[in-house]
Amino acid sequence: MLRNAISISVVIPVYNSATIFPVLYARLQEVLGSLTDSYTCIFVDDGSTDNSWAVISQQAAADQHCKALGSMHNCGQHAAIFAGLQYNEADYVVVMDDDLQDAPEDIPLLFQKVREGYDAVMCRRKTVFASPFRRLASSAFYIVLSIISRVRMFPGTANFGIYTKDVIDDILKKNTRYFFLPLTARRYSKVSGTIQVAHHPRYTGVSQYSFRSAWKLARNILRGSLRFHSAAGNHRFTVDRTAGI
């Protein structure tokens, strides 16, 4: 395979991750550089209150593989993902979180699977670093979501996954009021698959999701599914600033 015959973008929502970014980006560069010379990392700053934007935009200004966009307000993780997807131009799009609980080193596993003919491949976490109550609540949520949406969703399914440009383009064309990528991708893909990956401890800090915000997100996803939307969290994201774009 010619190294420039394929292109890969990675879309990552960012919130207060200034200290994580250098490690995350270094690992992404090593992994993506082993797959292709044509790769781009799109970091979406979701109204961070630390100096995340300064760190990421500085990198983007000096590095053609790094792009950044940001909002002055916190719009939510899924809105940030939706915004980042609109800047994709690659053949394949990887979506992952910014806290290194998803390992960049698993991207080749996703890429290998999608090259087998799948147009959407999502990760299912083998173990989850969360309290027993949260794990139980998450399992119950995915069971209910599968029933309501009529799309089989496995407990432990994460944002972490890879998608073809065709799938992403189809999603972006829809006038969706709500957006939850794992469910939306399954709806619009022709052949989707799942792989199991390890879930790692947070590199630093604590989860930004309180119980209240997690409950609100779950409620919006279920409501959206009942209304046959793509589901979850208003996808309006105001892009106030960009770098490298």
Side-chain angles (χ1 to χ4, degrees), residues 21-40:
F21 174 77
V23 178
L24 170 61
Y25 188 55
R27 288 170 61 177
L28 282 168
Q29 285 180 299
E30 183 174 354
V31 170
L32 295 171
S34 70
L35 297 174
T36 178
D37 294 325
S38 182
Y39 69 86
T40 304

Side-chain angles (χ1 to χ4, degrees), residues 146-191:
S146 296
I147 295 171
I148 291 176
S149 67
R150 299 181 182 179
V151 178
R152 188 178 183 186
M153 300 297 298
F154 295 100
T157 301
N159 285 321
F160 193 17
I162 189 169
Y163 314 91
T164 64
K165 189 175 188 300
D166 287 343
V167 169
I168 296 302
D169 286 348
D170 282 347
I171 291 172
L172 295 177
K173 288 175 185 175
K174 306 299 180 183
N175 185 24
T176 56
R177 180 182 175 187
Y178 295 100
F179 173 75
F180 178 55
L181 184 59
L183 175 59
T184 308
R186 283 203 183 277
R187 280 181 166 163
Y188 293 118
S189 68
K190 295 183 176 68
V191 185

Side-chain angles (χ1 to χ4, degrees), residues 113-164:
K113 192 73 174 176
V114 82
R115 294 289 286 179
E116 294 174 6
Y118 295 87
D119 57 7
V121 181
M122 280 144 280
C123 290
R124 184 182 182 188
R125 293 162 173 168
K126 296 177 184 177
T127 56
V128 177
F129 284 88
S131 68
F133 174 76
R134 284 209 173 193
R135 291 198 297 270
L136 179 62
S138 177
S139 295
F141 161 74
Y142 277 107
I143 291 171
V144 174
L145 179 61
S146 296
I147 295 171
I148 291 176
S149 67
R150 299 181 182 179
V151 178
R152 188 178 183 186
M153 300 297 298
F154 295 100
T157 301
N159 285 321
F160 193 17
I162 189 169
Y163 314 91
T164 64

